[in-house]
């Protein structure tokens, strides 16, 4: 989230049903910049400042992932993003900002 990458080429790879969610990410090289926000990347993709190449299984999905949920850390108010398919009632969640741990309360 909110990352500036300065490189002639950036290779993103997501395997075994994983994915990368890109929010406010800029890929910059001497030719220009590609900005992506609200995009899920799966498989192999290569980004330069003016192009995106799709490798094996390379996919871009626009919009937030359907299984994504967000919540606010009760300690520091940091926004936490989680995959609702991986959470179970009373699953432990840890805030990446303050390190606080609490249990997921799912309906």
């Amino acid at each position: 989230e909110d990352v500036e990458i300065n490189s002639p080429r950036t290779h993103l790879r997501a395997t075994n049903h994983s994915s990368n969610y890109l929010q406010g990410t800029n890929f910059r090289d001497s030719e220009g910049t590609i900005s992506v926000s609200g995009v899920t990347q799966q498989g192999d993709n290569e980004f330069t400042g003016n192009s995106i190449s799709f490798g094996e299984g390379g996919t871009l999905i626009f919009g937030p992932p359907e299984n994504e949920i967000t919540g606010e850390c009760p300690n520091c108010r940091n926004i936490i993003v989680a995959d609702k398919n991986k959470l179970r009632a009373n699953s432990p969640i840890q805030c990446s900002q303050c390190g606080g741990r609490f249990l997921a309360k799912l309906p």
Side-chain angles (χ1 to χ4, degrees):
E1 183 174 356
D2 299 325
V3 174
E4 183 89 21
I5 298 170
N6 294 301
S7 175
R9 286 191 160 82
T10 302
H11 183 92
L12 295 181
R13 183 175 189 180
T15 60
N16 297 326
H17 306 288
S18 67
S19 60
N20 297 303
Y21 183 63
L22 307 170
Q23 180 71 30
T25 304
N26 297 310
F27 297 91
R28 183 182 310 273
D29 70 7
S30 61
E31 302 292 319
T33 302
I34 292 178
S35 298
V36 291
S37 196
V39 174
T40 299
Q41 174 272 325
Q42 296 175 331
D44 289 329
N45 294 303
E46 186 170 272
F47 292 79
T48 67
N50 61 4
S51 69
I52 301 172
S53 301
F54 295 92
E56 184 178 339
T59 304
L60 295 179
I61 303 165
F62 296 89
E66 292 180 24
N67 57 341
E68 177 182 281
I69 59 171
T70 60
E72 188 176 276
C73 175
N75 298 334
C76 69
R77 305 180 65 85
N78 179 47
I79 299 300
I80 299 170
V81 180
D83 180 339
K84 69 181 177 185
N85 295 324
K86 294 181 181 176
L87 292 176
R88 302 285 182 253
N90 297 319
S91 294
I93 298 174
Q94 184 167 6
C95 177
S96 62
Q97 184 167 306
C98 73
R101 293 180 58 85
F102 51 96
L103 296 178
K105 295 182 181 177
L106 302 175

